[in-house]
Amino acid sequence: MVVNMKDITPIISALIAFAVTAGLGYIVIPALRRLKFGQTILDIGPNWHKDKQGTPTMGGVMTVAGVLLGVAAAFAFSAFSDGRFYGEMHDPFRLTLLLAGLIMAICMSAIGFIDDYIKVVKKRNLGLTARQKTFLQLLVSAAYLATLALSGMSTTYIPFVGDVDIFSGFGLLFWPIALMFIYGFTNAVNLTDGIDGLASTVTLVVACAFMLGAGFLYNMGMNAMGAALAGACVGFVVWNAHPAKVFMGDTGSMFLGGMVVALSFGIGRPILLIFAGFVYFIEALSVMLQVGYYKATKKRLFKMSPLHHHFEMCGWSEEKIVFVFSAVAFVGCVIALLPILFNW
């Protein structure tokens, strides 16, 4: 039996991303300790989180490096073996989807890095102001959408409806909705990063779903990018599983948010992130409900928000929360893949 070497391109991407991310832990974590880039645990969090005070943060740079080198390695391998990924990159639109997605995620990570730097180095616990962060995130989101529009994106796919023209009629609503969609999900992933291993493990599940979806759609660029993200998440969990030896910080969580958004747009089905990213969605929703309910009644709807902290306060261990939330993410991802598998 002859093995088609093109088929292992996503495996190469995942393995390199894993090796780089996990390997960098031996370099980055000691460096963060020397620089005294330790996490400050706010008093509003669970009392037992005080034990995590001083744990190195901004470890998300490991994930960023892992993903970028994983995608680069996949491209190099595909070029060497004359694979489908390499061939796709001769299509300007496919190339733009890949590069614009990576650049958007890196820019989101840069915003997170600035926020982390202010918190850790400048000793301002809240980092960037909400207005500053919102402006920068919306700017990056708008630039990403403008790039896609200028490169030729003219439709979006909606299950049971098909391709919808986004430059006429009701289709024009796509643009403001997409802007808030990118902004919202990037911040939702950020909110999910609250206990050891949670954001990375949930994102691993989501990345695998989009990797498979891209494969079914013969979009090998997004297939390789999803594989790289999955591999990097596993590599980071090596260091971030409970008890965490490093935190990703906003540097990492906002990169993860940008990446899952880029994958959803990259396969032309951003609407599927609503299902694949259901855990992110309920985490963000729990915060909005908590704030709204408290303003209206002066009482708390949850013991604490985001939702994972509520379950912590109910006595769940961090490991149990990670397992249950990842299982919920898996179910959401299966639902997200159904329209692709059955061409709905």
Side-chain angles (χ1 to χ4, degrees), residues 33-310:
R33 287 201 187 100
R34 286 195 300 271
L35 293 169
K36 301 188 187 302
F37 283 7
Q39 180 74 38
T40 299
I41 305 299
L42 301 180
D43 292 334
I44 59 175
N47 293 332
W48 51 91
H49 279 206
K50 284 295 181 181
D51 294 338
K52 303 181 181 186
Q53 182 82 21
T55 301
T57 188
M58 300 170 72
V61 294
M62 296 153 54
T63 306
V64 177
V67 169
L68 295 181
L69 290 175
V71 172
F75 178 78
F77 176 80
S78 184
F80 175 77
S81 60
D82 195 25
R84 190 182 183 95
F85 178 21
Y86 174 72
E88 273 187 8
M89 293 303 100
H90 290 88
D91 179 343
F93 181 60
R94 288 287 180 92
L95 178 62
T96 300
L97 284 175
L98 181 75
L99 294 180
L102 288 172
I103 292 170
M104 182 267 290
I106 292 169
C107 288
M108 290 297 188
S109 178
I111 296 169
F113 180 86
I114 294 169
D115 195 39
D116 286 334
Y117 185 84
I118 293 171
K119 292 175 185 174
V120 174
V121 179
K122 300 298 183 182
K123 307 300 181 185
R124 280 171 44 193
N125 283 346
L126 297 179
L128 291 169
T129 66
R131 183 174 296 180
Q132 290 169 335
K133 189 182 287 188
T134 297
F135 172 77
L136 291 172
Q137 289 173 332
L138 289 176
L139 182 64
V140 170
S141 302
Y144 173 66
L145 289 173
T147 301
L148 297 187
L150 292 172
S151 66
M153 185 179 75
S154 59
T155 63
T156 189
Y157 187 87
I158 299 177
F160 304 108
V161 176
D163 289 323
V164 176
D165 183 354
I166 54 179
F167 282 103
S168 65
F170 287 109
L172 289 170
L173 292 173
F174 168 82
W175 300 105
I177 292 173
L179 183 68
M180 298 312 298
F181 184 90
I182 298 170
Y183 169 78
F185 266 102
T186 301
N187 282 289
V189 177
N190 191 328
L191 290 170
T192 305
D193 180 35
I195 61 175
D196 298 351
L198 181 60
S200 290
T201 307
V202 169
T203 302
L204 165 63
V205 177
V206 176
C208 287
F210 279 112
M211 177 187 71
L212 290 172
F216 291 134
L217 294 169
Y218 300 102
N219 186 330
M220 304 316 292
M222 292 300 112
N223 181 251
M225 196 162 89
L229 180 60
C233 285
V234 176
F236 192 76
V237 168
V238 169
W239 300 101
N240 186 236
H242 186 71
K245 298 176 179 64
V246 68
F247 298 139
M248 67 174 65
D250 286 4
T251 304
S253 61
M254 289 179 62
F255 177 74
L256 296 185
M259 283 295 297
V260 295
V261 166
L263 286 167
S264 68
F265 277 85
I267 65 170
R269 289 158 169 76
I271 194 170
L272 297 184
L273 185 56
I274 295 173
F275 303 100
F278 181 71
V279 168
Y280 307 138
F281 177 76
I282 60 173
E283 289 273 53
L285 182 62
S286 70
V287 173
M288 291 187 284
L289 290 174
Q290 182 86 320
V291 172
Y293 189 78
Y294 185 80
K295 286 183 177 179
T297 67
K298 300 304 178 184
K299 297 179 180 179
R300 288 181 172 83
L301 184 61
F302 304 105
K303 292 184 178 181
M304 189 176 176
S305 66
L307 191 60
H308 57 262
H309 285 320
H310 170 79

Side-chain angles (χ1 to χ4, degrees), residues 5-14 74-75 77-78 81 83 85 224:
M5 295 299 286
K6 292 184 291 186
D7 294 339
I8 69 169
T9 300
I11 298 175
I12 297 293
S13 182
F75 178 78
F77 176 80
S78 184
S81 60
F85 178 21

